[in-house]
Amino acid sequence: MTDVKFKKLALIGIGLIGSSIARSVKAHGLADEIVCAARTADTRRIALELGIVDAAYENPVDAVKGADLVILCTPIGTYGPLAATIGPALEAGTILTDVGSVKEAVVKAVTPHLPDYVDFIPGHPVAGTEKSGPAAGFAELFIGRWFILTPTPKSSHEGLEKLTAFWTAMGSKVETMDPAHHDLVLAITSHIPHLIAYNIVGTADDLEDVTQSEVIKYSAGGFRDFTRIAASDPTMWRDVFLHNKDAVLEMLGRFSEDLTALQRAIRREDGDTLFEIFSRTRAIRRQIIDAGQETAEPDFGRIHSPDDE
Amino acid sequence: MTDVKFKKLALIGIGLIGSSIARSVKAHGLADEIVCAARTADTRRIALELGIVDAAYENPVDAVKGADLVILCTPIGTYGPLAATIGPALEAGTILTDVGSVKEAVVKAVTPHLPDYVDFIPGHPVAGTEKSGPAAGFAELFIGRWFILTPTPKSSHEGLEKLTAFWTAMGSKVETMDPAHHDLVLAITSHIPHLIAYNIVGTADDLEDVTQSEVIKYSAGGFRDFTRIAASDPTMWRDVFLHNKDAVLEMLGRFSEDLTALQRAIRREDGDTLFEIFSRTRAIRRQIIDAGQETAEPDFGRIHSPDDE
């Protein structure tokens, strides 16, 4: 493993992911100095009180000064304006990366604002919980989880190696992917699951003939698992759907078509079709277990969260 | 609490639920004798080897002989023919109940076949895992879970009290409900969540531009939670959808309408609508946590399963 160490890490945003990075970087000694930028005074105060950053700034330009690694950890809708703000303040050779759940739109939003001497390497840790804010983070969040790098044609080979070593040191398994393909894969494995979880929880909230207290009381029958996903950060997810629109609409179209076929099978009382579909999906579960991607916990990382202990 | 004890419990079917009942009844001494009926020789052999029943019969008529409590634990599609078979063999005052996830169709299928002197009291434990078969059961499955009784106009008050005491002794919280209302509540809290989980796993399986190994590899982003639900027993769930058709189609119609509205908001890049919906659902999650219905485990009961330990 490359011996990786940055002089100064600047985290733009210090929510669940940003604060988890700060904790993990500190735990593994991956940077001499960790600073953050956060919009609200409250967030900056909490980050400082938690002792996870050495300094916290309101203005991201102050945070990135002298930084050799800058990570965007805010909702992706802010990336364009942020890049325009910090771009001129970044130093030559600085690695700029991010943790956004969408990659093609991020490349388009950020790249135009950067000087040529900045090494922009977009990335996405496939990790998280439904909790938000600097207090929700924990150092172990990335252990055993995938980190997907989606380099642009201008990303340097050296920067790519250094960033790979950085995430590997935090416990992640690093994979490289084309940004557009990343967006398609994540649309089906993450974005659509979140969308339909948000949707069914909303549907249940609107019923007149079933009370909300009944929904809550009997949620263990399956609904509960969806509410956990549907408790994820609304701003982050709004931005995901706005910025991965094409892939999400494509996958949603397929999902709806398939659901209509299931609905039709139920209406026609076509038990064979139902049985065939329900048997097929069981095989996929087995493969996930075989691939070691299954854990007893709803989200691998959550058990480490101080809130749960 | 009523001191409850049956002479002979006959379990018709000894899968996940039946075998969990057998284990729990044995652990709490709720019956002098426990027998089961199972179609296949293999299942009967396993049940006997596990030591959870005193006898196992192929013919359910043999199992119910002399039983004062009979519980139907097979997929609900079998209930009608089963009731016709065992009805004449049931003794006066015997309590007949079930564990089916649908109640109105069960009442309709079973009642016509029963002699007047049989005390039929339908029920539904809101508990389970995605595993099947007699080896998958465990005695703690019902602890802290709801058990819903849906008595018919002919169910006796005495039988209702005895069955309530029986399920309470196994750790359940018992609630009484109208069969039709049960089916509506469970359609949204359990049946639709299962249907859309089955559906998205099927959709992911059919993609050409995303490989199955990619879906499995990156399933931690949300998809994984759905695959667990979609690994549930296909026969049981086929029968649920065939027998709760009206309530499921009603709820599915609402779900699809809401999903179309979300799709439209994404297509129009209407961030405010997305944010509003995503914020609202977060509040419901909080209520589930407040109601103590949330557990760290994906399914409360699973941690007790020998397979997971």
Side-chain angles (χ1 to χ4, degrees):
Chain A
M1 196 192 299
T2 326
D3 189 30
V4 63
K5 175 99 161 194
F6 289 92
K7 282 198 323 283
K8 180 180 170 183
L9 162 64
L11 297 160
I12 312 302
I14 189 90
L16 169 70
I17 300 291
S19 76
S20 295
I21 295 175
R23 287 169 169 97
S24 182
V25 166
K26 188 156 261 183
H28 295 96
L30 303 177
D32 292 328
E33 190 188 355
I34 308 172
V35 305
C36 76
R39 236 168 358 108
T40 70
D42 230 33
T43 304
R44 293 193 298 273
R45 183 183 52 73
I46 295 169
L48 287 168
E49 278 174 11
L50 289 167
I52 57 178
V53 293
D54 300 305
Y57 303 94
E58 183 175 6
N59 188 342
V61 170
D62 295 328
V64 304
K65 229 169 260 168
D68 49 350
L69 177 61
V70 176
I71 311 183
L72 304 178
C73 304
T74 49
I76 43 185
T78 64
Y79 282 12
L82 261 179
T85 305
I86 62 170
L90 296 172
E91 300 194 355
T94 292
I95 295 177
L96 175 67
T97 184
D98 75 306
V99 297
S101 306
V102 178
K103 297 270 63 86
E104 203 173 26
V106 162
V107 173
K108 272 190 200 141
V110 171
T111 310
H113 302 292
L114 300 179
D116 262 349
Y117 53 75
V118 169
D119 200 2
F120 179 44
I121 312 173
H124 175 209
V126 185
T129 78
E130 72 279 18
K131 302 194 173 133
S132 321
F138 48 100
E140 300 82 0
L141 178 61
F142 310 110
I143 296 174
R145 305 299 288 264
W146 290 100
F147 182 85
I148 306 175
L149 281 168
T150 61
T152 74
K154 285 164 70 185
S155 304
S156 83
H157 182 71
E158 195 200 345
L160 207 60
E161 277 201 337
K162 215 170 162 190
L163 205 53
T164 301
F166 176 79
W167 280 98
T168 304
M170 292 200 287
S172 287
K173 300 175 281 182
V174 179
E175 196 67 80
T176 299
M177 219 185 261
D178 168 72
H181 190 64
H182 165 280
D183 293 352
L184 214 53
V185 172
L186 272 290
I188 190 71
T189 57
S190 177
H191 306 171
I192 296 294
H194 275 79
L195 193 73
I196 64 183
Y198 277 123
N199 192 64
I200 193 174
V201 177
T203 302
D205 194 31
D206 283 339
L207 299 174
E208 317 85 42
D209 28 20
V210 175
T211 67
Q212 211 180 83
S213 76
E214 285 175 321
V215 168
I216 287 161
K217 201 163 166 181
Y218 303 110
S219 61
F223 185 75
R224 183 177 56 194
D225 295 350
F226 290 72
T227 65
R228 191 185 65 77
I229 300 179
S232 302
D233 187 67
T235 307
M236 174 196 151
W237 283 96
R238 176 199 64 196
D239 282 5
V240 166
F241 293 112
L242 294 178
H243 291 87
N244 199 19
K245 180 176 146 175
D246 293 343
V248 165
L249 289 178
E250 163 67 21
M251 293 297 174
L252 192 53
R254 288 161 182 259
F255 174 84
S256 296
E257 265 174 40
D258 293 345
L259 192 60
T260 301
L262 262 178
Q263 184 171 3
R264 191 165 177 249
I266 294 171
R267 197 179 299 281
R268 297 182 170 200
E269 301 181 7
D270 175 0
D272 292 342
T273 296
L274 294 176
F275 184 81
E276 192 272 315
I277 294 169
F278 299 170
S279 304
R280 196 157 60 101
T281 53
R282 206 170 204 189
I284 296 183
R285 175 66 178 175
R286 256 192 303 273
Q287 287 175 269
I288 287 183
I289 293 168
D290 292 346
Q293 287 293 308
E294 151 66 355
T295 68
E297 297 77 39
D299 186 306
F300 192 135
R302 302 179 68 232
I303 48 160
H304 302 289
S305 163
D307 290 8
D308 293 333
E309 277 167 7
Chain B
M1 196 190 300
T2 326
D3 190 28
V4 63
K5 175 99 162 193
F6 289 91
K7 284 198 322 281
K8 180 181 170 183
L9 162 63
L11 297 161
I12 312 303
I14 190 89
L16 169 71
I17 300 292
S19 75
S20 294
I21 295 175
R23 287 171 168 96
S24 182
V25 165
K26 187 155 262 184
H28 295 97
L30 302 177
D32 293 327
E33 190 188 356
I34 307 172
V35 306
C36 75
R39 234 168 358 108
T40 71
D42 229 33
T43 304
R44 294 194 297 274
R45 184 184 50 76
I46 295 170
L48 288 168
E49 278 174 10
L50 289 167
I52 57 178
V53 293
D54 301 305
Y57 303 95
E58 183 174 6
N59 188 343
V61 171
D62 297 329
V64 305
K65 229 170 260 167
D68 48 350
L69 177 61
V70 176
I71 312 183
L72 304 179
C73 305
T74 49
I76 44 187
T78 64
Y79 282 12
L82 261 178
T85 306
I86 64 172
L90 295 172
E91 300 195 354
T94 291
I95 296 177
L96 175 67
T97 184
D98 75 306
V99 297
S101 308
V102 177
K103 297 270 65 85
E104 204 173 25
V106 162
V107 172
K108 272 190 202 143
V110 171
T111 310
H113 302 291
L114 300 179
D116 262 349
Y117 52 75
V118 170
D119 201 1
F120 178 45
I121 312 173
H124 175 209
V126 185
T129 78
E130 72 280 17
K131 302 193 174 136
S132 323
F138 48 101
E140 300 83 358
L141 178 61
F142 310 110
I143 296 175
R145 305 298 290 262
W146 291 100
F147 182 84
I148 306 175
L149 281 168
T150 61
T152 75
K154 286 166 68 186
S155 304
S156 84
H157 181 73
E158 196 201 347
L160 208 59
E161 276 200 338
K162 217 172 162 188
L163 204 52
T164 300
F166 177 78
W167 280 98
T168 304
M170 291 200 286
S172 288
K173 301 175 281 184
V174 180
E175 195 68 81
T176 300
M177 219 185 262
D178 169 72
H181 189 65
H182 165 279
D183 292 353
L184 213 52
V185 171
L186 270 290
I188 189 71
T189 58
S190 178
H191 306 171
I192 296 293
H194 275 80
L195 193 71
I196 63 181
Y198 277 123
N199 192 62
I200 192 174
V201 177
T203 302
D205 194 31
D206 283 339
L207 299 175
E208 316 87 40
D209 28 20
V210 176
T211 68
Q212 212 180 82
S213 76
E214 284 175 321
V215 168
I216 287 160
K217 198 162 167 183
Y218 302 111
S219 61
F223 185 76
R224 181 178 60 196
D225 294 351
F226 289 73
T227 65
R228 191 185 64 77
I229 299 178
S232 301
D233 188 66
T235 308
M236 173 195 154
W237 282 98
R238 177 199 62 196
D239 282 5
V240 166
F241 293 113
L242 294 178
H243 291 86
N244 199 19
K245 177 176 148 176
D246 293 342
V248 165
L249 289 178
E250 163 66 22
M251 293 296 175
L252 192 52
R254 289 162 183 260
F255 173 85
S256 296
E257 268 174 39
D258 292 345
L259 192 61
T260 302
L262 262 178
Q263 184 171 4
R264 193 165 176 249
I266 294 171
R267 199 179 297 282
R268 297 182 171 202
E269 302 181 4
D270 176 0
D272 292 343
T273 297
L274 295 176
F275 185 81
E276 191 273 313
I277 294 169
F278 299 170
S279 304
R280 196 156 63 99
T281 53
R282 205 171 206 188
I284 296 182
R285 175 66 179 176
R286 257 192 301 274
Q287 287 174 269
I288 288 184
I289 293 170
D290 292 346
Q293 286 294 306
E294 152 65 355
T295 67
E297 297 77 39
D299 187 305
F300 194 133
R302 302 179 69 232
I303 49 160
H304 303 289
S305 163
D307 291 5
D308 294 332
E309 277 167 10

